[in-house]
Amino acid sequence: MDCSFLDFFLRETEKVHSLMRRYACPEEHPFTDWKQLPDPIIMKDKYTSVLKPNNVNLNKKVMSVYLEKILPLICKEGESDYGSSATCDIHALQSISKRIHYGKFVVESKFQQDREGYTKLIQSRDEHGLMKKLTDYAVEERLLDRVRKKASTYGQDPARQGPPIYKVDPEVPVKIYKEFLIPLTKEVELEYILRRLDGFTVAYFGSTGSYSHVVAKEQFSDPSVSLTPYSSIPQVFSAVLSSKADYGVVPLRNSLSGLFRDTHELLFTTEAKICAEIKSLIQLQLVSSTVDASNLSKITTIYSHPDAIAQCQKSLVKYCPTVKTIPVSSTSEGALRASLEPNTAAIAHLEVVNTFPSLKVIQPNIHDDDKATTQFLIISRSAMHEARASPSGRDKTMLVFGVQHKPGALTSALACFEKYTLNLTSIESHYVGGSNEPLFLIEFMGHVKDEKVMNALEALKCHTTSINVVGSFSVAPDPKK
């Protein structure tokens, strides 16, 4: 069973709830993938359509915030009754999910009251303006005061004489609402309202059927989202930074072949920000339109991206030892050529078979390492990123900084991270524009809104010539086969 005790019982609980049509209700959102949930066995109710159809679901972040931030505030470490704990966890998670996703109804009501004002902000993609319009600090203060009073009233023994003794300090629920539930609700509201008109545009590297396209489809499944292909990684960055696209999907690092140099360099030289990372398993197929599995010797040429070719060397030696391999800009371009040229093949994702009907898989899973992954980034403009960035409890940050070209400069800078116990997971150097002072792109665990990260960045200023936070985002889960 490749999941935690909680994950297993949450999934099984949601399967039962799905049978009872819980997730047919527009305010309910499962933590389990829809594909794993059964259809209801009782007739669906006819709900009046209030919301615009959407797939906004922040439950992955809800789970992370709950486990990493909320539980440590209300529970002590130690032995427990796992079954009872899991039952309580499931109830809490579903309650939090329902509470924050109800923000869709709130923002829809606000939109109906001021369609013109919201429409202008949506069309201009003014996320700061939208967030300001959505926020009512007086209402938030009244909510926090109500939470404090409830926690004080119900968190003590009413029969006790003398000063009250609380099971949980009333300020803890207030902190949970203020630092986690309210920001998550605003994030739901912002995601929903941005798609209220015609959705948004996502640029991706490659053409239909490329790995970036597959990742983009999985991450942006809302029907209102428009996916737009670009033939190079710099074009994706340019589309995002020039507002032709709201987001971009680009590969950063392959666990076998290393960095994608274009993405790496553009993180140093542009103002693009990272919103999220995705880790995807490398699953490559040998496809052709004119050759089948019984006569692989007829293949004269194999097309693919250089990294894909590198990831299949053992299989190529085994099945096609004398065939010429020609690198192209993307796996989907290779698939296109193989669909048009006789006696050729391509190394590509299975998705290309749906994109190019003439192609068929002639040798499945020809990648050399079943555990190999590619790390993809979702990028946006700086204003869009800053308006919605909030910690999940399990985050990482990427930043670029410069140091003077002298002995000990880099060591002094990195000592700031050690001082505040921040775990560095990656460091890369780059020289920009002929400068003799190097820039460094580092990745470390933590979020820019975490106190120790803020302290480390403040200390870093004394040892660097420049600092640019490229993004703070949730750590992507390891992909499952």
Side-chain angles (χ1 to χ4, degrees), residues 14-25 34 37-45:
E14 291 193 325
K15 285 181 179 179
V16 175
H17 290 177
S18 183
L19 290 172
M20 297 185 292
R21 75 180 180 204
R22 175 171 187 166
Y23 303 111
C25 304
W34 279 104
L37 296 178
D39 292 329
I41 58 175
I42 55 179
M43 187 180 298
K44 292 184 179 180
D45 280 344

Coordinates of all heavy atoms in Angstrom, one line a residue, residues 14-25 34 37-45:
E14 N -14.0 8.6 1.4 CA -14.5 9.4 0.3 C -15.2 8.5 -0.7 O -16.1 9.0 -1.4 CB -13.4 10.3 -0.3 CG -13.0 11.4 0.7 CD -12.2 12.4 0.0 OE1 -11.4 12.1 -0.9 OE2 -12.3 13.6 0.5
K15 N -14.7 7.3 -0.9 CA -15.4 6.4 -1.8 C -16.9 6.1 -1.3 O -17.8 6.1 -2.1 CB -14.7 5.0 -1.9 CG -13.4 5.1 -2.7 CD -12.7 3.7 -2.8 CE -11.5 3.8 -3.6 NZ -10.8 2.4 -3.7
V16 N -17.0 5.9 0.0 CA -18.4 5.7 0.5 C -19.2 7.0 0.4 O -20.4 6.9 0.0 CB -18.3 5.3 2.0 CG1 -19.7 5.2 2.6 CG2 -17.6 3.9 2.1
H17 N -18.6 8.1 0.7 CA -19.3 9.4 0.6 C -19.7 9.6 -0.9 O -20.8 10.2 -1.1 CB -18.5 10.5 1.1 CG -18.3 10.5 2.6 ND1 -17.5 11.4 3.3 CD2 -18.8 9.6 3.5 CE1 -17.5 11.1 4.6 NE2 -18.3 10.0 4.7
S18 N -18.9 9.2 -1.8 CA -19.2 9.4 -3.2 C -20.4 8.6 -3.6 O -21.2 9.1 -4.4 CB -18.0 9.1 -4.1 OG -18.2 9.3 -5.4
L19 N -20.5 7.4 -3.1 CA -21.7 6.6 -3.4 C -23.0 7.3 -2.9 O -24.0 7.1 -3.5 CB -21.6 5.2 -2.7 CG -20.5 4.3 -3.3 CD1 -20.4 3.1 -2.3 CD2 -20.9 3.8 -4.7
M20 N -22.8 8.1 -1.9 CA -24.0 8.8 -1.3 C -24.1 10.2 -1.9 O -24.8 11.0 -1.3 CB -23.9 8.8 0.2 CG -23.9 7.5 0.9 SD -24.0 7.5 2.7 CE -22.3 8.2 3.0
R21 N -23.5 10.4 -3.0 CA -23.5 11.6 -3.8 C -23.0 12.9 -3.1 O -23.4 14.0 -3.4 CB -24.9 11.9 -4.4 CG -26.0 12.3 -3.4 CD -27.3 12.5 -4.1 NE -28.3 13.0 -3.2 CZ -29.6 12.8 -3.3 NH1 -30.1 12.1 -4.4 NH2 -30.5 13.3 -2.4
R22 N -22.2 12.7 -2.1 CA -21.6 13.9 -1.4 C -21.0 14.9 -2.4 O -21.1 16.1 -2.2 CB -20.6 13.5 -0.3 CG -20.0 14.6 0.4 CD -19.1 14.2 1.6 NE -18.7 15.4 2.3 CZ -18.1 15.4 3.5 NH1 -18.1 14.2 4.2 NH2 -17.7 16.5 4.1
Y23 N -20.2 14.3 -3.3 CA -19.4 15.2 -4.2 C -20.2 15.7 -5.4 O -19.6 16.3 -6.3 CB -18.1 14.5 -4.5 CG -17.4 14.1 -3.3 CD1 -17.2 12.8 -2.9 CD2 -16.9 15.1 -2.4 CE1 -16.6 12.5 -1.7 CE2 -16.3 14.8 -1.2 CZ -16.1 13.5 -0.9 OH -15.5 13.2 0.3
A24 N -21.5 15.4 -5.4 CA -22.3 16.0 -6.4 C -22.7 17.4 -6.0 O -23.2 18.2 -6.8 CB -23.6 15.2 -6.6
C25 N -22.5 17.7 -4.7 CA -22.8 19.0 -4.1 C -21.7 20.0 -4.5 O -20.5 19.7 -4.4 CB -22.9 19.0 -2.6 SG -24.1 17.8 -2.0
W34 N -10.7 12.2 -8.7 CA -12.1 11.8 -9.2 C -12.1 10.5 -9.8 O -13.1 9.7 -9.8 CB -12.6 12.9 -10.2 CG -13.1 14.1 -9.5 CD1 -12.5 15.3 -9.4 CD2 -14.4 14.2 -8.9 NE1 -13.4 16.2 -8.7 CE2 -14.5 15.6 -8.4 CE3 -15.5 13.3 -8.7 CZ2 -15.7 16.0 -7.7 CZ3 -16.6 13.8 -8.0 CH2 -16.7 15.1 -7.5
L37 N -13.0 7.6 -7.6 CA -14.2 7.6 -6.8 C -15.4 7.0 -7.7 O -15.5 7.2 -8.9 CB -14.6 9.0 -6.5 CG -13.7 9.8 -5.5 CD1 -14.1 11.2 -5.3 CD2 -13.5 9.0 -4.2
P38 N -16.2 6.2 -7.0 CA -17.4 5.5 -7.8 C -18.5 6.6 -8.0 O -18.6 7.6 -7.3 CB -17.8 4.4 -6.8 CG -17.5 5.0 -5.4 CD -16.2 5.8 -5.6
D39 N -19.3 6.2 -9.0 CA -20.5 7.1 -9.2 C -21.5 6.9 -8.1 O -21.6 5.8 -7.5 CB -21.1 6.7 -10.5 CG -20.2 7.1 -11.7 OD1 -19.5 8.1 -11.6 OD2 -20.3 6.4 -12.8
P40 N -22.4 7.9 -7.8 CA -23.4 7.7 -6.8 C -24.4 6.6 -7.1 O -24.6 6.3 -8.3 CB -24.1 9.1 -6.8 CG -23.1 10.0 -7.4 CD -22.3 9.2 -8.4
I41 N -24.9 5.9 -6.1 CA -25.8 4.9 -6.3 C -27.2 5.3 -6.1 O -28.2 4.6 -6.2 CB -25.5 3.7 -5.4 CG1 -25.5 4.1 -3.9 CG2 -24.2 3.0 -5.8 CD1 -25.4 2.9 -3.0
I42 N -27.4 6.6 -5.6 CA -28.7 7.2 -5.5 C -28.8 8.4 -6.5 O -27.9 8.9 -6.9 CB -29.0 7.7 -4.1 CG1 -27.9 8.6 -3.6 CG2 -29.1 6.5 -3.1 CD1 -28.2 9.2 -2.2
M43 N -30.0 8.7 -6.8 CA -30.3 9.7 -7.8 C -29.7 11.0 -7.4 O -29.9 11.5 -6.3 CB -31.8 9.8 -8.1 CG -32.2 10.7 -9.3 SD -34.0 10.8 -9.5 CE -34.3 9.1 -9.8
K44 N -29.1 11.7 -8.4 CA -28.5 13.0 -8.1 C -29.6 14.1 -8.0 O -30.6 14.0 -8.7 CB -27.6 13.4 -9.2 CG -26.3 12.6 -9.3 CD -25.4 13.2 -10.4 CE -24.1 12.4 -10.5 NZ -23.2 12.9 -11.5
D45 N -29.4 15.0 -7.0 CA -30.3 16.1 -6.9 C -30.1 17.1 -8.0 O -29.0 17.2 -8.6 CB -30.1 16.8 -5.6 CG -30.8 16.1 -4.4 OD1 -31.7 15.3 -4.7 OD2 -30.5 16.4 -3.3

